[in-house]
Amino acid sequence: MRDVFNFSAGPAMLPEEVLLQAQAEMLNWNGTGMSIMELGHRGPEFQAVAEQAEADLREVMSIPKHYHVLFLAGGASTQFAMVPINLLGEKMTADYVDTGVWSKKAIDEARRYGAVNVVAHTEHHNHLAYIPPQERWTLNKNAAYVHYTPNETIDGIEFHWVPKTGHVPLVADMTSAILSRPIDVNDYGIIYAGAQKNIGQAGITVVIIREDLIRDPLPLTPTLYAYKTHAEHHSFYNTPPTYSWYIAGLVLAWLKREGGVTAIHERNKRKSEKIYSLLDGHKDFYLTRIDRECRSIMNVMFYIHDEKLTPHFLEEATNIGLTNLRGHRVSGGVRASIYNAMPDEGVDKLVAFMADFAKRNG
Ligand SMILES: Cc1ncc(COP(=O)(O)O)c(C=O)c1O
C-alpha cells in the first residue's frame, strides 16, 4: 500500500490495483507489443476495451437499454452547455436548482442559451446549510428539463433523495456522486459526470441519456456539441480520449470486484460517518456548516473554530501523508474528499490525526 492518502477533490485518488495494472500493461498491452494509448481507436483491440467499459458501466448502474451511454471529451463543464443546447428545443426555458458553486456554473452557462428559472436555493437554519424540500420549489410544468447537482463537490452538500419532476426530464450533474451509491437510472433523463473522481482519470466524461432526448440541437450548434452526433457514432465520431476510457474500464472492473455500487455505498457511508462523528464529538474545536440531512458522503467540509490553526492542521497532515485537505479557494477550511478509491485506512488515519490535533490545540 502507498503511504500517502490523497484527499484531493479531483483529479482524485485511484485504486492502487488499477495503477499497478496500468503500469504492468504500459509497454505491452495484451500481448500486442504496444501501449493501449498507441492503438488506433477504430481497431478491434481498442473497440473491445471500449465496449467492455460500457458493458461494465451498464451492469454496475443497471442502465436500461433505452439509454445511450456516451464517453466524451471536454469535461463536465462542456455538459453545462450541451444540456441546454440539445434540450431547450422550442420551450427555451429550463428549471435549475442552485445548491452551490457547480450549480451556479451550470446556471450561468445555460443562461447564454435560454431562460433559466432557479426553482430553489440552498437555505440556512441555525447557521447550517440545507436543501429546501421539493414542496417549496417553484417548478415550471412547461420547462424543457430540471437540472440539479446531487453532490456539490466544493460546498460538501448532498441530496439524499431524488427530485420528482413528472414528465419533465431530470438532468443530474453527477460528477462527484456517480457510482458512490445505487440509483435508479429511470428517474433521470440525463446523467453526466466527469471521470476524475469515481470513474477514473481526467479527460473523459460519461453521459447517460434517454433515447427520446436525442434531439435536434439549437441552430449553429457545432457538430461535436450535438448528442445526436455522438449517439449515432457510438462516441467514435472523432478520436475519443482512449487512455482515459481504458482507465475507466479498469476502475469499473475493480468496482465490480469490490462488490459493485451497493457494497461501495456501505463503505462510503461508514467512511463518512467516521469523520462526521469525530466532528460531532469535537464541536468546540471543529465546525461544520452543513445540516446533518444533507451532509456529503464524498466531500466532507469542515472548519477549525480558531482559523489561525488551519494552516498548521494542513501542514501537519501533509507531513504524515494526509494530502490535499485544503478546502477550495472559495470556501476555505478543510475538505476531505473520500471517493470510492479512498480506503478505510486513509480515513482512520485522518480521524486519529484530527482527534490528536484537537487535543493538542484545543
Ligand atoms: C459537480 C461538478 N460538476 C462539474 C465539474 C467540472 O468538471 P470538469 O473540470 O471536468 O469540467 C466538477 C469538477 O470538479 C464538479 O465537481
Side-chain angles (χ1 to χ4, degrees):
M1 176 162 319
R2 291 181 293 169
D3 48 12
V4 166
F5 294 105
N6 175 11
F7 290 88
S8 165
M13 193 166 181
L14 284 166
E16 189 167 289
E17 273 173 64
V18 166
L19 294 174
L20 289 171
Q21 189 177 343
Q23 180 185 44
E25 295 178 343
M26 179 60 79
L27 295 183
N28 182 3
W29 181 79
N30 211 15
T32 55
M34 289 171 278
S35 168
I36 186 83
M37 62 177 112
E38 299 171 306
L39 296 177
H41 58 296
R42 299 191 196 280
E45 296 93 350
F46 187 75
Q47 287 289 320
V49 168
E51 278 167 24
Q52 189 60 50
E54 180 179 335
D56 285 344
L57 185 67
R58 283 188 178 275
E59 184 183 329
V60 294
M61 290 184 71
S62 306
I63 301 174
K65 284 207 171 56
H66 63 292
Y67 283 76
H68 294 267
V69 176
L70 310 176
F71 289 83
L72 308 181
S77 305
T78 300
Q79 296 309 309
F80 295 164
M82 282 180 77
V83 167
I85 285 174
N86 286 272
L87 257 57
L88 279 173
E90 284 169 7
K91 296 190 166 162
M92 287 307 277
T93 177
D95 284 353
Y96 276 70
V97 185
D98 172 10
T99 47
V101 175
W102 290 111
S103 301
K104 287 187 183 64
K105 291 207 179 203
I107 289 167
D108 287 347
E109 187 68 18
R111 285 207 161 115
R112 303 183 63 216
Y113 305 101
V116 167
N117 171 32
V118 178
V119 297
H121 294 274
T122 304
E123 295 180 9
H124 292 84
H125 176 68
N126 291 338
H127 307 289
L128 295 177
Y130 71 95
I131 302 163
Q134 195 181 325
E135 301 86 80
R136 292 207 266 118
W137 299 7
T138 49
L139 287 167
N140 169 8
K141 283 194 194 66
N142 293 315
Y145 60 91
V146 179
H147 180 283
Y148 84 118
T149 311
N151 182 61
E152 286 280 1
T153 322
I154 294 174
D155 307 74
I157 194 163
E158 181 166 10
F159 279 80
H160 295 282
W161 48 281
V162 181
K164 292 274 166 277
T165 55
H167 68 279
V168 181
L170 181 62
V171 177
D173 171 3
M174 280 203 195
T175 298
S176 53
I178 196 163
L179 301 174
S180 67
R181 61 171 74 229
I183 60 159
D184 183 352
V185 173
N186 290 296
D187 289 337
Y188 300 89
I190 296 183
I191 293 168
Y192 64 87
Q196 62 272 26
K197 290 106 170 43
N198 273 338
I199 304 174
Q201 67 168 53
I204 201 156
T205 300
V206 166
V207 178
I208 301 165
I209 175 167
R210 213 173 58 209
E211 63 189 1
D212 60 293
L213 298 176
I214 306 279
R215 297 178 182 153
D216 286 328
L218 299 180
L220 292 179
T221 296
T223 310
L224 281 172
Y225 273 63
Y227 288 130
K228 222 174 164 178
T229 306
H230 298 292
E232 280 170 4
H233 294 86
H234 303 286
S235 313
F236 282 89
Y237 176 80
N238 66 332
T239 315
T242 53
Y243 199 75
S244 303
W245 199 328
Y246 155 77
I247 293 287
L250 298 188
V251 171
L252 288 160
W254 168 82
L255 182 57
K256 278 172 56 177
R257 291 195 298 277
E258 294 294 303
V261 282
T262 306
I264 215 85
H265 182 218
E266 289 308 311
R267 194 191 296 172
N268 289 335
K269 278 193 297 190
R270 190 176 66 226
K271 288 186 312 193
S272 58
E273 273 158 20
K274 284 180 189 172
I275 307 178
Y276 286 121
S277 58
L278 183 284
L279 292 169
D280 290 341
H282 291 77
K283 281 198 171 125
D284 45 354
F285 189 80
Y286 295 112
L287 170 71
T288 54
R289 293 193 178 146
I290 306 293
D291 186 275
R292 190 174 286 278
E293 301 297 310
C294 322
R295 287 173 165 178
S296 169
I297 63 167
M298 293 279 98
N299 309 97
V300 181
M301 263 305 301
F302 62 93
Y303 298 84
I304 299 175
H305 279 286
D306 180 356
E307 283 179 13
K308 289 194 301 302
L309 290 172
T310 308
H312 302 294
F313 177 97
L314 296 171
E315 192 186 333
E316 283 189 31
T318 307
N319 289 342
I320 59 163
L322 303 170
T323 66
N324 289 315
L325 282 160
R326 188 187 303 278
H328 190 274
R329 59 188 183 280
V330 301
S331 54
V334 183
R335 173 175 51 170
S337 295
I338 45 173
Y339 299 117
N340 290 351
M342 174 60 70
D344 273 287
E345 290 79 0
V347 171
D348 293 342
K349 190 168 173 182
L350 173 65
V351 168
F353 167 70
M354 287 168 67
D356 180 55
F357 189 87
K359 198 166 146 201
R360 283 186 286 114
N361 295 283

